[in-house]
Amino acid sequence: MPAVSDVLDLSSSIDRVNPGELYRSAIEEVAESIAPVIAENRQYQKSRVFDRLLIPDRVIRFRVEWVNDAGGVEVNFGWRIEHTNVLGPYKGGLRFHPSVTEDTLHFLAYEQCFKNALTGQPIGGGKGGSNFDPKGKSDNEVMRFCQAFMRELYRHIGPSVDVPAGDIGVGGREIGFLYGQYMKITKQRDGVLTGKPMGLGGLLGRTEATGYGTVTFAEAMLKHADDSIEGKRVAISGAGNVALYAAELAMEKGAKVVSLSDSGGSVIFDKGMSGSQLEEMIDFKEVQRGRLKDWSGNGASFHAGERPWGLVDADVALPCATQHEVDTKDAKHMVDRGVKVVAEGANMPCTHSARGVFHDAGVLFGPGKAANAGGVATSCFEMHQNAAHDAWTKQRSLEKLHGVMIDIHEQCIANAPMVNGVVDYGVGADRGGFVKLADAIVAMGV
Ligand code: NDP
């Protein structure tokens, strides 16, 4: 197999882009996976597809000014990174979190391009957001912020141009406020955002899609290894949209969910979470916007400031909180606690060295760009529904979601080498997505 240095001048490619730490690690990881594909294809080399994919089509950066409940003026950054529309309109979520920087969004937009390509849907890649922190803000403050954000964003988006969605800190409430403002400014009700509340053209099943898709992918990995998810102990991090619905489907499939977490700590359910506890938890987190430290449930214990991985035995781990939340130490904890399968519900929650621990231990590893692609695939169904002025049933969207996840699993298998006797899904996903993007870039000319 050719080394990266045989086919790419990676350091000058990276110097040209000057990425931050997160984007750099995403670029390096992809480069390692796809070097053999580039080595075999002279057209990819001649068209410089690797370098062309590193620089986004454009980066939109703007000021968001709004008034808080006390009458004070607040100022935040807003961004939209339109990475590539070679496969379809720019598509990717908006993240509202104080940690958001341009580097975070570059990395997320780049990953999104590969993920969206894997879904087989006609969507390009993008990402956006703000360093605004919705935590602790009143509904009115969140609404005023969303309206101010859209006052700038509306001129850059459109149903065939750029279709944003939710991500960390942006759920149905925020999408409703954003879309409401877009409709007022433009007079259009064209479905330009996905993840919309039902009354505004949302799709049944979109709320569940990312978490359900991650579990479907983990189940496919287990099946491919002649195993099943039934009866497995599943440790989950996060307690947001992805984590809660991953928990729901895992339990429906007969698995035991043994943990959830938020940035304050972890809740451990040593005997597995019950159906009624999950129902209460969804209301507690999604409606009451509570903190896990204030949640009390029978047979559950709270561990302040701790991640779940060292606290509980598990067969399957689903990191569903945020990027780089699983480091080497966490990965070793998982292996020591019995984990055999990891599927990333979040975007790149496992560091490069954590992935190395999984490889060495023969743990099956499903990367986020494959395992959490169900959310964006289902967002694309929402675009179909809106464009056709249709109303899909939940059954239709969930069946189609299942089909897409199985297809992504098959694409990974078809492109993945075996390492230490296990399928290298990380490489399979990178190669599967890259070939689609690269072929379209070649076809488009310069
Ligand atoms: P939510 O905002 O609904 O939930 C995020 C959860 O992760 C919260 O419980 C949050 O805790 C926790 N969290 C966030 N940052 C940290 C941190 N630094 N340390 C510990 N816990 C943290 O987001 P989503 O569930 O929508 O997204 C989760 C991940 O999945 C993200 O990586 C996102 O990019 C990815 N993703 C989401 C998709 C979607 O459809 N929603 C689609 C594909 C990927 P707290 O409330 O305390 O901050």
Side-chain angles (χ1 to χ4, degrees):
M1 193 163 95
V4 174
S5 57
D6 296 338
V7 285
L8 298 172
D9 182 357
L10 191 57
S11 60
S12 39
S13 296
I14 288 182
D15 284 351
R16 204 174 306 116
V17 178
N18 192 20
E21 191 198 332
L22 274 169
Y23 190 23
R24 173 184 289 269
S25 74
I27 295 170
E28 287 172 348
E29 211 152 282
V30 169
E32 233 171 79
S33 303
I34 63 176
V37 178
I38 295 178
E40 279 171 11
N41 191 312
R42 286 195 50 74
Q43 194 59 55
Y44 292 173
Q45 294 163 33
K46 203 169 137 221
S47 299
R48 294 191 58 198
V49 285
F50 178 76
D51 282 327
R52 288 165 69 188
L53 254 181
L54 293 188
I55 301 179
D57 291 353
R58 66 195 62 79
V59 177
I60 299 157
R61 183 166 178 243
F62 50 94
R63 186 177 67 244
V64 187
E65 45 204 18
W66 56 284
V67 177
N68 64 28
D69 285 348
V73 174
E74 304 262 358
V75 189
N76 290 98
F77 273 111
W79 287 274
R80 185 69 182 162
I81 298 191
E82 296 182 336
H83 200 97
T84 178
N85 62 355
V86 72
L87 294 177
Y90 304 105
K91 182 94 197 85
L94 297 172
R95 177 175 294 190
F96 293 168
H97 194 272
S99 69
V100 168
T101 63
E102 212 164 290
D103 178 46
T104 327
L105 299 174
H106 272 295
F107 132 72
L108 289 166
Y110 183 66
E111 293 278 299
Q112 191 83 45
C113 299
F114 289 80
K115 180 191 308 191
N116 292 6
L118 281 171
T119 65
Q121 304 293 307
I123 38 179
K127 201 82 190 185
S130 172
N131 57 354
F132 169 74
D133 186 0
K135 236 178 264 163
K137 304 286 189 303
S138 69
D139 280 354
N140 277 334
E141 286 177 321
V142 170
M143 181 174 71
R144 284 196 294 275
F145 174 81
C146 290
Q147 291 172 338
F149 188 88
M150 186 53 82
R151 268 201 300 278
E152 178 60 32
L153 186 69
Y154 86 94
R155 69 189 89 240
H156 304 292
I157 60 179
S160 310
V161 180
D162 184 348
V163 185
D167 190 74
I168 292 180
V170 180
R173 173 183 64 165
E174 290 75 17
I175 294 286
F177 294 151
L178 289 161
Y179 193 46
Q181 181 74 344
Y182 173 86
M183 289 192 290
K184 284 179 193 156
I185 297 173
T186 65
K187 229 170 72 174
Q188 302 287 329
R189 193 188 185 281
D190 52 17
V192 75
L193 295 165
T194 58
K196 297 181 289 296
M198 290 316 297
L200 296 178
L203 181 81
L204 288 167
R206 174 60 187 92
T207 305
E208 296 86 347
T210 308
Y212 276 25
T214 301
V215 169
T216 306
F217 195 85
E219 185 183 34
M221 292 163 83
L222 281 159
K223 263 195 194 149
H224 189 75
D226 291 326
D227 203 343
S228 122
I229 197 166
E230 205 184 331
K232 293 284 184 294
R233 292 172 65 84
V234 179
I236 299 178
S237 64
N241 172 263
V242 181
L244 293 171
Y245 292 98
E248 185 170 273
L249 189 63
M251 284 163 61
E252 252 175 65
K253 289 185 177 289
K256 277 188 169 54
V257 170
V258 294
S259 71
L260 290 173
S261 68
D262 64 18
S263 51
S266 300
V267 175
I268 300 299
F269 305 85
D270 205 28
K271 295 199 162 59
M273 200 177 191
S274 70
S276 58
Q277 280 177 322
L278 177 63
E279 223 172 276
E280 283 166 24
M281 183 63 88
I282 290 177
D283 181 70
F284 181 71
K285 290 302 282 187
E286 303 234 289
V287 182
Q288 301 174 44
R289 299 180 192 278
R291 312 295 307 152
L292 284 183
K293 69 176 172 48
D294 301 321
W295 192 80
S296 55
N298 283 341
S301 54
F302 179 72
H303 303 257
E306 295 207 50
R307 295 169 181 163
W309 320 117
L311 300 172
V312 66
D313 289 344
D315 308 293
V316 175
L318 306 178
C320 296
T322 192
Q323 68 271 358
H324 284 189
E325 56 163 307
V326 176
D327 59 18
T328 315
K329 197 169 121 212
D330 296 312
K332 286 185 180 150
H333 279 316
M334 286 184 192
V335 172
D336 291 345
R337 288 290 197 157
V339 167
K340 298 279 181 298
V341 172
V342 176
E344 294 185 324
N347 285 312
M348 211 194 261
C350 303
T351 62
H352 189 67
S353 48
R355 290 171 66 156
V357 173
F358 300 142
H359 277 193
D360 293 346
V363 169
L364 284 171
F365 173 77
K369 53 172 85 76
N372 70 37
V376 73
T378 308
S379 276
C380 197
F381 309 156
E382 188 174 326
M383 291 162 70
H384 298 319
Q385 172 188 264
N386 294 158
H389 304 285
D390 199 354
W392 284 34
T393 62
K394 188 166 180 177
Q395 188 186 358
R396 182 175 175 196
S397 44
L398 293 184
E399 276 174 13
K400 222 168 140 57
L401 165 68
H402 187 266
V404 167
M405 295 314 298
I406 298 302
D407 180 62
I408 293 174
H409 180 263
E410 282 166 12
Q411 288 180 64
C412 290
I413 296 286
N415 288 288
M418 298 289 283
V419 176
N420 297 337
V422 297
V423 178
D424 191 335
Y425 284 93
V427 171
D430 285 342
R431 289 185 188 167
F434 177 72
V435 166
K436 289 186 183 176
L437 289 161
D439 287 344
I441 289 171
V442 169
M444 175 173 85
V446 180

